[in-house]
Every structure is written in C-alpha cells, then in structure tokens.
Amino acid sequence: MFTEELKAFKRLGFRHVLLQVLNFASVIASGLMIWKGLGLVTNSESPIVVVLSGSMEPAFYRGDLLFLTNPSHERYVTGDITVYKIPGADIPIVHRVLETHDVTPKKRKRDNATAAVTIPNQYLLTKGDNNYVDDIELYQGLEWLERKHIVGKVRGFLPYVGYVTIAMNDFPQLKYALLGGLGLLALIQRE
C-alpha cells in the first residue's frame, strides 16, 4: 500500500529529511504563536472554543465555533453570552448571564493621598438557554462566578465548523490517522 512512498522516502537524503522535519516544526510553531498572539489580543486564555452540548440551543448548536474576547475594562451585563471555566473542571461552559452583582471590596486603611479608586468586583449567575434552572449546581460549591472564572464573552460564531474537533475527540483513531498522514506528507513532500 505504501511501498512507493517508502521507496521515495529511502531515496531522500538525510539533509532533505531534516529540512522537511524543520519545515513541519516551523508550521507547528507558527500555529502556536498565532494562537498565543490571539490570546494576548483578546485577553482570553482560549479565544476560540467549540460548543459541545445543546444547552444553548437555539442560539448556538453543538459544533458551532465561537470567537471570544475578554476586555478587562468591560463589565458583563445580563444577556451577555459568556464562556466560563470552574476550577477542577476540564471543559469550559457556554451560557448566558442571568444576573450580575457588583460588590465593593473592603478597603484597607491607608493615607488619603495614596488611596486608589476601588473597582467593584462583579459576580455573575449564568444559565443555558435550553436549561430549566440556573448554573449554581455547576459551580461546584461557588455561589457566584467571579471574573477570574470567565474565559470570555462571545463576539461571533461559525456554525458547525467545530464538528471536526468533536469528531477527533470522539474518535481518537481519526486524530492519530490525520496527524500521522500530515507528518508523512511533510516528510515525503518534494520542494
């Protein structure tokens, strides 16, 4: 099945194989740099996420690709669609803000000259559009979501594009076959 490809691979010299490996590594490194750059620009640890459940239907369906931003100066309001991550949970959750509460932090005693303006902490309560109850059960002991739990606010989406990611997670053999095939193509590709 792969006899021709193996013969072509054997005919390549060590320098050519090394060049192909370096090209493949530079493509991977470029992708990682773009991902980290997007994270810096959007102030989000994950600027692109895939919807994994139907809890936000009809707004978003399983497999939709969401684009997030998390500006630090912007407050969340009721109706915003947020992505949050609870400590100890692996998968971020996409739900709508149901309530917000601003709580002013306690001030420490200081000089009046050095007193800084205190920004109130914002607490959020969320709920999936397709769920009957709010998300307090999902918060694992927390009463409210804090700003540190928020990954970002949804700014846009592409419908059904994320099904590729879902398929690769549901069928790991597909993921390994695709990665192996791409690696093999990178090695035997001729310039």
Side-chain angles (χ1 to χ4, degrees):
M1 180 169 148
F2 292 110
T3 56
E4 292 297 320
E5 286 81 8
L6 287 174
K7 286 179 185 176
F9 185 70
K10 288 179 183 177
R11 281 187 298 220
L12 298 174
F14 174 75
R15 292 182 72 176
H16 186 71
V17 171
L18 183 61
L19 177 66
Q20 295 297 56
V21 168
L22 289 175
N23 282 339
F24 186 68
S26 70
V27 168
I28 298 296
S30 297
L32 288 173
M33 286 189 290
I34 289 171
W35 180 258
K36 287 298 183 183
L38 273 175
L40 285 173
V41 168
T42 61
N43 192 33
S44 176
E45 69 182 62
S46 184
I48 300 172
V49 296
V50 175
V51 177
L52 298 176
S53 73
S55 67
M56 279 302 291
E57 291 178 2
F60 301 117
Y61 292 92
R62 188 172 194 258
D64 289 354
L65 194 68
L66 306 179
F67 301 100
L68 311 177
T69 62
N70 192 16
S72 57
H73 63 279
E74 192 173 313
R75 309 295 287 168
Y76 286 88
V77 296
T78 301
D80 283 345
I81 300 173
T82 63
V83 177
Y84 66 89
K85 198 171 185 180
I86 299 297
D90 294 335
I91 298 172
I93 299 171
V94 181
H95 282 173
R96 192 178 303 273
V97 174
L98 193 62
E99 289 182 37
T100 66
H101 291 281
D102 291 332
V103 178
T104 306
K106 295 179 182 177
K107 295 180 183 179
R108 295 182 181 165
K109 294 182 181 180
R110 290 193 202 174
D111 298 345
N112 286 340
T114 61
V117 176
T118 57
I119 299 172
N121 293 332
Q122 188 175 32
Y123 296 130
L124 306 173
L125 177 66
T126 59
K127 176 186 171 295
D129 290 356
N130 203 19
N131 294 350
Y132 294 111
V133 295
D134 58 36
D135 293 346
I136 289 179
E137 294 286 326
L138 298 175
Y139 297 166
Q140 298 179 0
L142 300 173
E143 292 182 25
W144 300 93
L145 287 179
E146 296 179 36
R147 184 70 183 228
K148 65 184 178 185
H149 300 123
I150 303 296
V151 176
K153 182 189 294 189
V154 175
R155 299 296 184 168
F157 76 102
L158 286 174
Y160 306 114
V161 176
Y163 265 115
V164 175
T165 304
I166 292 172
M168 286 195 293
N169 284 334
D170 289 348
F171 306 104
Q173 300 87 358
L174 176 65
K175 178 176 20 180
Y176 298 130
L178 283 173
L179 289 174
L182 287 173
L184 185 64
L185 282 175
L187 284 175
I188 63 172
Q189 173 189 356
R190 298 201 180 249
E191 296 278 324

